[in-house]
Amino acid sequence: LVSLSDKTNLDLLISFLLIWAKFFDELKLYVDAFGDLRNINYDTDDTVADAFLHSLADYYNITNNYT
């Protein structure tokens, strides 16, 4: 039989490991996104995110004359 304190410790360990797993999953997604920073393609989803369009325009020296 498993005592209550062992079950609590096991639950705590599982929660701790799941938090780290989520952190590393998000970190991997962030690092993988760097490969798409200079990729512009309107036909696929693997392209630069909207938040990085300004830096992409700066990279290609595109200016916005409408502001």
Side-chain angles (χ1 to χ4, degrees):
L1 291 170
V2 177
S3 69
L4 182 60
S5 65
D6 289 340
K7 185 172 176 11
T8 304
N9 288 338
L10 182 62
D11 289 341
L12 184 63
L13 177 64
I14 289 172
S15 296
F16 179 74
L17 292 175
L18 288 174
I19 289 170
W20 276 103
K22 182 180 179 193
F23 170 77
F24 284 114
D25 286 343
E26 290 176 359
L27 183 64
K28 182 186 180 304
L29 290 173
Y30 182 76
V31 169
D32 287 344
F34 277 103
D36 298 327
L37 284 180
R38 302 289 183 236
N39 181 19
I40 303 171
N41 188 353
Y42 296 107
D43 296 331
T44 65
D45 292 333
D46 297 332
T47 186
V48 65
D50 292 343
F52 295 111
L53 287 176
H54 184 71
S55 67
L56 184 64
D58 289 341
Y59 178 78
Y60 287 112
N61 289 327
I62 298 172
T63 59
N64 183 358
N65 295 329
Y66 300 110
T67 58

